[in-house]
Amino acid sequence: MSKAQTAYKEIEKIIGSEFISDKNFMKASYSRNVDPAFPDRWADMIVRPESTEEVSEIVKIANKYKIHIVPRGGGADLVGGSVSEGGILMDLTRMNKILEINENDYYCVVECGITWGALLSELHVKGLTTGVLGPGSGYSATIGGGLSNSTAGFGSTKYGLVPDICMGVEVVLPNPQGSIIRTGAAVSKYAKPFCRYGAAPDFTGLFMGDVGTMGIKTKAFLKVYPETPYKAQRYYILSKNDYTKVFELMNQLRKEVRDGLHDVLVVPIIVLQLLAGMVENKPAKRPRMKGPMFSILVEAIDKRILDVYLEKVDEVMKEDARPFELQEFDPSSTLSKDWTFNLEYAYHYFNKFISVSPPKVSCTTCHKIPISAISEAAKASITFDIKYKDEFPAQSISLFASVIFLLPNGNCVIVGGFNADNVDDQRDLSMKMWHKKIRNQVRYGGIHYWLGESISQSIVEADAYTPEFIKFFKDVKKALDPNFLLSPNKFHMYSYNHDIGQHIIKDDE
Ligand SMILES: Cc1cc2nc3c(=O)[nH]c(=O)nc-3n(C[C@H](O)[C@H](O)[C@H](O)COP(=O)(O)OP(=O)(O)OC[C@H]3O[C@@H](n4cnc5c(N)ncnc54)[C@H](O)[C@@H]3O)c2cc1C
């Protein structure tokens, strides 16, 4: 019997035969994320534990037989993060319970395999919310995936990224003991998990945005907020295609409207034109669209305050933009004054921006930059696309941004990428260009968030990390994962002895 088969038998005894499989149809259905360039990758076995203790036992067995593990939540990753070639793919979605909603102290305790949709629906009944609503994939994506990917989503303009609402986690370390630790206030056996700092050094951060390399998150302690009852949506279209103006307006909105801003999104003109072209019932006359569209969502605890926010938004925008309605090119869309906010709106909004030309999927390159750098980043990105236009897969559209999303303070997410087909003869080409484009973004100062395999490796290739940082990263990981079992390949880390520096690529830019 191979060591994988022996491990299978031992894991089966712990979680039961229904929750482990090495059948081909199971391996096939877990072989991909939502990314066109990666080949299918089949794990040796799919395991679906139901408790932290079961996760810990599986980790012990994996250490005994030196079999690697990749954790997986909803599998909605866009960058090859939650699939595994060989080894154990650990699906955490059976760990989907809400353990506590504390309405007095505004926090909740959940198992990390619960989806955003399920958690928010329960919170909504109690008039509560997590503020940031998780990713556009939130009907299937999990809290564990959001924490591991430093996810942004609706509500991020006001409440920040998913790790910003996290006050601690319970984690199974990938060591031979399968140690179970907690972070935040929960490190104290006397305290409720109501705050993040003060009980010990802040180890929560070790596991945020780690793309499953440092531990397997089993529980999360999250902030909750009372829902804000009044929300309104307004659209404006700029009179010029000018990214410096986009920065100035974002900066001004932040200054004038502050906490009233729930979300500020900017849709570039090219994307508007593509969307207008896809509409089924087109109006007789095309609207004049010369610049990007601002989509501004404000929220307030009182209708009068909401009206003040809307007035302030109008004051900021009126010099450089005119009020706009999506109905001008899509008569089936709702007028902004009739719009109401719900989860379906939040979770369907981004789907159209993941690929603006279905059925292709994007090699996504979403990253963050300071808002003052939008113009420079757009220039660098467009110059790159023109210079290497012949190297992209045929008929692929590369976009600097399909949406620009304001985050707290003065930074923003540039949602973008280029699309490709999920077909064998385009994979190498797409993967090569994907890495090259990300290296370009890293070198103009872009900071990504979901890193998976393709982005974490490209950051290494761009030579962004100092040797001292790489040594520190490896030393910390080695303390937690001495047998190097958790999520190999990410960051071009193939073993602790492997010299990551050999993957640096000097591009001709
Ligand atoms: C249509 C669509 C819209 C999207 N919109 C957004 C968006 O608005 N914002 C955004 O940021 N992303 C978005 N994404 C990308 C992705 O879905 C999110 O980043 C999401 O948070 C991933 O969650 P998941 O549960 O599916 O994670 P998975 O894909 O299962 O895993 C993601 C990473 O986290 C690790 N991981 C998962 N669970 C755990 C755990 N419990 N412990 C340790 N590691 C773990 C995995 O190993 C992997 O590296 C979108 C994707 C799609 C397809």
Side-chain angles (χ1 to χ4, degrees):
M1 238 191 319
S2 71
K3 59 181 192 168
Q5 286 165 326
T6 315
Y8 186 102
K9 290 276 166 226
E10 291 187 23
I11 297 172
E12 191 177 24
K13 280 199 194 119
I14 290 158
I15 60 175
S17 55
E18 272 177 72
F19 302 111
I20 180 166
S21 179
D22 58 2
K23 298 268 189 312
N24 282 350
F25 75 90
M26 284 291 280
K27 294 181 188 174
S29 50
Y30 280 87
S31 66
R32 296 200 63 86
N33 292 145
V34 192
D35 36 34
F38 281 96
D40 298 355
R41 286 176 288 170
W42 288 29
D44 286 328
M45 65 192 97
I46 317 297
V47 303
R48 304 184 62 223
E50 196 191 14
S51 68
T52 305
E53 290 68 30
E54 287 186 358
V55 172
S56 168
E57 291 304 316
I58 295 168
V59 165
K60 286 183 202 168
I61 295 167
N63 269 280
K64 187 163 138 194
Y65 297 102
K66 310 273 186 297
I67 298 174
H68 71 258
I69 306 177
V70 176
R72 174 162 167 136
D77 200 68
L78 297 162
V79 284
S82 51
V83 284
S84 180
E85 179 69 51
I88 299 171
L89 187 67
M90 187 182 283
D91 172 345
L92 290 147
T93 53
R94 282 180 72 219
M95 296 188 62
N96 59 4
K97 290 184 256 333
I98 298 176
L99 302 172
E100 183 181 1
I101 296 179
N102 193 313
E103 294 175 66
N104 294 327
D105 303 321
Y106 292 106
Y107 70 81
C108 68
V109 180
V110 297
E111 290 183 332
C112 282
I114 191 170
T115 64
W116 288 92
L119 173 60
L120 285 159
S121 305
E122 285 301 313
L123 289 174
H124 177 69
V125 176
K126 297 180 183 300
L128 296 170
T129 170
T130 46
V132 50
L133 304 179
S137 49
Y139 282 136
S140 55
T142 62
I143 302 298
L147 296 170
S148 309
N149 268 4
S150 289
T151 286
F154 265 92
S156 280
T157 298
K158 179 165 175 176
Y159 299 94
L161 302 176
V162 168
D164 293 328
I165 59 159
C166 183
M167 296 188 293
V169 277
E170 178 187 84
V171 182
V172 175
L173 300 180
N175 61 21
Q177 303 76 34
S179 307
I180 301 167
I181 60 144
R182 291 176 163 209
T183 69
V187 301
S188 163
K189 56 189 176 208
Y190 305 113
K192 288 179 173 182
F194 68 101
C195 69
R196 176 158 169 179
Y197 304 103
D202 174 34
F203 290 119
T204 306
L206 261 187
F207 304 100
M208 301 293 107
D210 72 329
V211 288
T213 57
M214 304 304 260
I216 302 168
K217 289 176 267 292
T218 46
K219 294 193 183 92
F221 314 113
L222 304 177
K223 296 177 191 173
V224 295
Y225 302 87
E227 272 186 346
T228 308
Y230 295 95
K231 288 189 170 63
Q233 168 88 286
R234 291 292 179 270
Y235 300 108
Y236 293 87
I237 194 147
L238 263 61
S239 46
K240 277 199 288 193
N241 196 16
D242 177 357
Y243 282 112
T244 305
K245 196 46 83 186
V246 170
F247 149 59
E248 287 167 8
L249 290 170
M250 280 184 161
N251 180 284
Q252 206 56 22
L253 284 168
R254 179 59 81 205
K255 195 161 161 187
E256 299 293 332
V257 196
R258 302 194 188 183
D259 261 9
L261 297 173
H262 188 271
D263 291 297
V264 175
L265 292 99
V266 178
V267 182
I269 177 86
I270 170 118
V271 178
L272 283 183
Q273 284 161 345
L274 286 167
L275 292 177
M278 281 185 236
V279 165
E280 277 180 15
N281 298 314
K282 297 189 180 68
K285 263 176 74 181
R286 267 185 166 264
R288 285 165 61 79
M289 296 190 291
K290 292 190 176 164
M293 177 186 81
F294 269 67
S295 160
I296 301 170
L297 204 164
V298 292
E299 69 170 14
I301 53 157
D302 189 295
K303 174 80 174 60
R304 291 165 301 173
I305 301 174
L306 191 77
D307 289 341
V308 173
Y309 285 150
L310 288 174
E311 260 172 48
K312 282 189 169 290
V313 165
D314 211 47
E315 264 167 38
V316 171
M317 300 301 293
K318 70 180 179 213
E319 283 272 299
D320 303 290
R322 69 168 175 89
F324 181 71
E325 288 293 346
L326 291 175
Q327 281 216 335
E328 292 184 32
F329 69 77
D330 180 3
S332 66
S333 63
T334 316
L335 282 170
S336 53
K337 70 173 173 47
D338 301 324
W339 168 91
T340 50
F341 187 76
N342 57 32
L343 271 190
E344 197 177 345
Y345 170 83
Y347 292 159
H348 286 171
Y349 188 89
F350 282 112
N351 296 5
K352 62 175 170 285
F353 296 111
I354 293 299
S355 171
V356 286
S357 65
K360 285 175 188 269
V361 225
S362 283
C363 292
T364 46
T365 58
C366 307
H367 61 299
K368 293 168 287 174
I369 52 169
I371 52 175
S372 63
I374 294 178
S375 200
E376 227 173 279
K379 215 178 289 164
S381 181
I382 293 162
T383 307
F384 177 93
D385 288 350
I386 293 171
K387 182 165 177 186
Y388 298 109
K389 67 176 187 315
D390 298 335
E391 295 182 30
F392 280 99
Q395 281 141 25
S396 140
I397 303 174
S398 178
L399 288 177
F400 158 62
S402 53
V403 167
I404 303 172
F405 203 129
L406 181 63
L407 294 180
N409 302 94
N411 67 108
C412 63
V413 168
I414 310 281
V415 176
F418 64 90
N419 32 29
D421 287 312
N422 178 9
V423 291
D424 286 340
D425 62 0
Q426 283 200 5
R427 288 191 212 292
D428 285 349
L429 196 62
S430 304
M431 191 62 94
K432 200 168 139 247
M433 273 322 271
W434 198 7
H435 278 238
K436 191 163 173 166
K437 195 164 165 69
I438 294 162
R439 293 196 295 273
N440 179 260
Q441 297 172 334
V442 171
R443 289 183 179 128
Y444 67 61
I447 295 292
H448 296 75
Y449 44 116
W450 57 56
L451 303 180
E453 259 186 43
S454 48
I455 298 192
S456 67
Q457 293 178 352
S458 305
I459 298 172
V460 168
E461 290 163 16
D463 198 14
Y465 302 140
T466 61
E468 291 80 2
F469 174 77
I470 293 172
K471 180 172 182 318
F472 170 76
F473 186 177
K474 280 188 178 175
D475 287 349
V476 175
K477 182 165 163 63
K478 199 169 182 179
L480 308 181
D481 182 8
N483 286 319
F484 193 74
L485 296 185
L486 200 59
S487 294
N489 306 343
K490 289 166 183 165
F491 301 93
H492 275 308
M493 230 189 258
Y494 304 103
S495 73
Y496 292 121
N497 296 328
H498 183 81
D499 172 18
I500 288 176
Q502 68 182 267
H503 297 283
I504 294 169
I505 297 179
K506 300 241 174 289
D507 287 296
D508 156 37
E509 284 168 7

